[in-house]
């Protein structure tokens, strides 16, 4: 099947290459000249483990090609995936202007029956809007179907997630579109949830919001565990083994960040308000998440004597999580903001992310030299087994705040660190 992917960002590029793996021919369309040039040259314009190899493989085999030419791309393909961004509006809702532009272009250039699939996370009712936008821009009444088929992949493990999904959701109104979509996914071995577009759109928001809720739940519980001297990791394990709860997304830490959870939870809250059915539970999820970096900054401040002015803090990790160079809504950056507001001196390290020169240090050793405290903010593997004894010798004071609960606390304590995790007692 010939597939067009519109929007060669993170979701679009991954989706396109996974379809290549499944034996389809893919065209990647983007209006951004730089992105297209990079992809044509076999280079990813973002960091994602394993995806570069797939790009090299399928570009060489001519299974995928990238273009800026919308008309030809629409004419030549049967199934068109919309993978453009849906950034957050000032009211918290999703900005659909990119989706609208794509829909109008598809309507204008459509030459025969097409299936238009929304892969981007879009609010409930968007499939209907896309249908109307396409109809309005058509010159001839060529039939088409709009399908919602949300993507659930995570940054940092996008290839594995996209190759081995837990489920595929297909929200369609016509039998023809549904059967073509099922044919497209026939080599994936997972349940397919068949529903209408509205329910499919809701599934995506509900999934992300539920996961965000698990995280805020455990983070707020961790604050209570802190007061009661309880290890929250034991609580996570103890409740997670209950199959009705499940073990994942119960890691207490700095709070959730990234390009999806914060934006999607806000968008669902906005949809709920607009429909007169507020989701107060999600409003609390957002509140707890916003408080978490501030709560942790206060912990640092208390430990360092109630004043951070001129204290030097080495921050390990700036990305919103490991294995990505993405800093959108990064809790680490939020903590840094709070620390700077207290007039602390920040030295930051990240294996991949580049920060402003004044804060970033190239090596771990440079970052900790003269520091009063080190704060681990992102769970990069390389922070797990550092030579803490020699790092300690470079520091002024020996406070270690492990907000990813990832280092061996007994070991670092025995070396002489004053260790504090997130309710990691
Ligand atoms: C998320 C969804 O998981 C994915 O299905 C969707 O398609 C896009 O949004 P992503 O944002 O890439 O993926 O990252 P994810 O691994 O889900 O983590 C999101 C945030 O939650 C990160 O900041 C992470 O550190 C945090 N997190 C995750 C926790 O704080 N605790 C956990 O137990 C799990």
């Amino acid at each position: 099947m010939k597939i067009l992917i519109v929007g060669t960002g993170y979701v679009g590029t991954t989706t396109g290459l996974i379809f290549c793996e499944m034996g389809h021919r893919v065209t990647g369309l983007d209006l951004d000249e730089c992105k297209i040039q990079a992809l044509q040259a076999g280079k990813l314009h973002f960091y994602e483990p394993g995806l570069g190899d797939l790009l090299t493989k399928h570009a060489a085999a001519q299974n995928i090609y990238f273009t800026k030419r919308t008309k030809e791309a629409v004419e030549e393909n049967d199934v068109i995936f919309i993978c453009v961004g849906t950034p957050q509006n000032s009211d918290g809702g999703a900005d659909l202007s990119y989706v609208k532009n794509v829909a109008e272009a598809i309507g204008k250039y459509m030459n025969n029956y097409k299936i238009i699939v929304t892969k981007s996370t879009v609010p409930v009712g968007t499939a209907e809007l896309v249908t109307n936008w396409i109809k309005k821009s058509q010159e001839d009444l060529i039939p088409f179907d709009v399908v919602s088929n949300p993507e659930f992949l995570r940054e940092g493990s996008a290839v594995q997630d996209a190759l081995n999904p837990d489920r595929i959701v297909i929200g369609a109104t016509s039998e023809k579109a549904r059967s073509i979509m099922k044919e497209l996914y026939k080599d994936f071995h997972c349940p397919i949830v068949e529903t209408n577009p509205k329910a499919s759109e809701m599934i995506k928001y509900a999934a992300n919001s539920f996961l965000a809720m698990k995280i805020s739940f455990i983070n707020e519980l961790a604050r209570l565990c802190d007061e009661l001297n309880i290890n929250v990791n034991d609580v996570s394990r103890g409740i997670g083994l209950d199959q009705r709860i499940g073990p994942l997304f119960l890691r207490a830490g700095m709070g959730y960040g990234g390009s999806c959870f914060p934006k999607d939870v806000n968008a669902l809250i906005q949809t709920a308000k607009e429909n007169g059915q507020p989701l107060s539970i999600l409003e609390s999820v957002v509140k707890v998440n916003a408080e978490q970096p501030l709560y942790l900054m206060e912990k640092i401040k208390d430990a360092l004597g109630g004043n951070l002015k001129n204290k030097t803090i080495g921050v390990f990790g700036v990305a919103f999580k490991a294995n990505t160079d993405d800093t959108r809504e990064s809790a680490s950056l939020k903590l840094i903001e709070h620390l700077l507001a207290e007039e602390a001196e920040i030295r930051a390290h990240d294996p991949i992310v580049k920060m402003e020169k004044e804060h970033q240090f190239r090596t771990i050793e440079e970052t900790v030299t003269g520091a009063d405290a080190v704060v681990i903010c992102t769970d990069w593997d390389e922070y797990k087994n550092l030579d803490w004894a020699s790092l300690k010798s470079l520091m002024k004071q020996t406070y270690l705040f492990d907000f990813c609960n990832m280092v061996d606390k007994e070991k670092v304590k025995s070396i002489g660190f004053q260790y504090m995790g997130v309710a990691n007692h």
Side-chain angles (χ1 to χ4, degrees):
M1 226 172 279
K2 291 175 75 181
I3 297 172
L4 173 62
I5 302 282
V6 187
T8 58
Y10 181 76
V11 169
T13 307
T14 309
T15 305
L17 287 165
I18 296 304
F19 279 132
C20 291
E21 282 285 285
M22 296 294 154
H24 301 292
R25 286 261 304 141
V26 174
T27 302
L29 173 71
D30 207 299
L31 299 181
D32 184 330
E33 180 82 48
C34 295
K35 282 185 188 167
I36 291 297
Q37 274 181 8
L39 290 163
Q40 279 171 341
K43 289 196 194 92
L44 285 181
H45 49 90
F46 53 91
Y47 176 80
E48 180 61 40
L51 199 61
D53 295 342
L54 286 188
L55 177 60
T56 309
K57 173 177 155 189
H58 291 295
Q62 299 189 333
N63 296 329
I64 192 161
Y65 96 100
F66 297 95
T67 182
K68 267 189 72 184
R69 294 164 183 266
T70 308
K71 182 172 184 289
E72 287 86 339
V74 170
E75 284 173 354
E76 285 163 13
N77 290 284
D78 318 310
V79 184
I80 305 175
F81 282 84
I82 302 181
C83 301
V84 295
T86 51
Q88 188 166 306
N89 264 332
S90 52
D91 65 2
D95 173 356
L96 291 178
S97 51
Y98 297 116
V99 176
K100 185 169 188 245
N101 291 345
V102 174
E104 286 172 348
I106 293 171
K108 188 167 162 202
Y109 297 127
M110 193 186 289
N111 54 340
N112 52 20
Y113 173 79
K114 312 271 179 205
I115 296 182
I116 296 96
V117 189
T118 52
K119 206 36 139 177
S120 308
T121 303
V122 289
V124 175
T126 302
E128 264 171 59
L129 289 174
V130 169
T131 305
N132 292 336
W133 289 327
I134 293 176
K135 274 189 186 155
K136 271 194 193 147
S137 51
Q138 276 186 327
E139 277 171 20
D140 304 317
L141 287 180
I142 299 165
F144 67 93
D145 280 302
V146 175
V147 173
S148 161
N149 170 224
E151 182 51 65
F152 298 98
L153 55 84
R154 289 165 298 175
E155 294 186 25
S157 53
V159 174
Q160 281 317 312
D161 285 355
L163 279 172
N164 307 296
D166 290 337
R167 77 309 206 180
I168 288 161
V169 178
I170 298 175
T173 44
S174 93
E175 204 39 58
K176 182 175 179 183
R178 203 187 304 270
S179 68
I180 292 176
M181 290 299 291
K182 279 162 74 177
E183 173 66 19
L184 205 58
Y185 282 110
K186 70 177 181 338
D187 293 327
F188 288 82
H189 306 289
C190 67
I192 292 187
V193 179
E194 293 178 45
T195 181
N196 58 40
K198 268 182 162 179
S200 168
E201 289 159 347
M202 178 57 94
I203 287 168
K204 172 69 195 196
Y205 280 103
N208 274 357
S209 298
F210 192 87
L211 294 171
M213 182 175 74
K214 282 183 96 174
I215 297 168
S216 276
F217 173 81
I218 205 69
N219 282 337
E220 197 172 35
L221 197 76
R223 297 179 205 164
L224 178 59
C225 287
D226 243 345
E227 294 304 319
L228 298 172
N229 217 12
I230 292 169
N231 187 323
V232 75
N233 304 313
D234 293 345
V235 178
S236 294
R237 185 166 147 73
I239 63 173
L241 286 167
D242 184 326
Q243 287 189 23
R244 294 167 301 174
I245 296 174
L248 303 177
F249 284 74
L250 286 176
R251 228 178 343 101
M254 306 261 305
Y256 61 81
S259 65
C260 293
F261 284 179
K263 172 171 81 72
D264 294 351
V265 177
N266 281 332
L268 186 53
I269 289 174
Q270 188 58 23
T271 301
K273 277 190 192 148
E274 282 166 12
N275 287 278
Q277 196 56 255
L279 287 170
S280 58
I281 198 163
L282 291 186
E283 289 168 19
S284 300
V285 167
V286 171
K287 180 170 170 283
V288 168
N289 198 57
E291 289 163 356
Q292 191 70 354
L294 189 59
Y295 169 81
L296 294 173
M297 187 280 288
E298 293 291 349
K299 289 266 167 203
I300 299 174
K301 191 171 155 186
D302 285 353
L304 268 69
N307 188 351
L308 291 176
K309 192 167 178 182
N310 300 329
K311 293 278 183 336
T312 302
I313 315 281
V315 173
F316 282 4
V318 181
F320 84 92
K321 64 173 190 177
N323 300 318
T324 177
D325 60 352
D326 199 340
T327 58
R328 282 176 285 179
E329 297 289 324
S330 161
S332 171
L333 290 181
K334 292 185 177 150
L335 179 77
I336 288 174
E337 260 175 47
H338 293 311
L339 291 167
L340 287 172
E342 296 285 328
E343 299 181 65
E345 303 260 340
I346 299 298
R347 305 172 144 229
H349 174 273
D350 193 280
I352 305 248
V353 179
K354 301 272 168 287
M355 280 191 77
E356 295 135 60
K357 268 199 209 102
E358 74 226 63
H359 298 314
Q360 181 140 23
F361 287 77
R362 265 195 308 276
T363 65
I364 285 176
E365 286 73 18
E366 283 171 297
T367 307
V368 306
T369 299
D372 294 284
V374 165
V375 190
I376 305 178
C377 292
T378 310
D379 53 338
W380 286 102
D381 261 355
E382 51 222 279
Y383 300 146
K384 213 175 270 172
N385 294 309
L386 290 169
D387 179 358
W388 288 106
S390 59
L391 292 182
K392 180 174 163 259
S393 67
L394 300 171
M395 293 172 64
K396 191 154 95 198
Q397 295 196 75
T398 50
Y399 289 95
L400 175 54
F401 298 94
D402 173 13
F403 293 156
C404 298
N405 289 353
M406 65 187 287
V407 303
D408 181 340
K409 66 173 190 280
E410 298 311 331
K411 192 167 155 193
V412 292
K413 277 185 196 168
S414 73
I415 293 169
F417 276 97
Q418 283 98 312
Y419 174 90
M420 187 187 288
V422 179
N424 190 14
H425 298 287

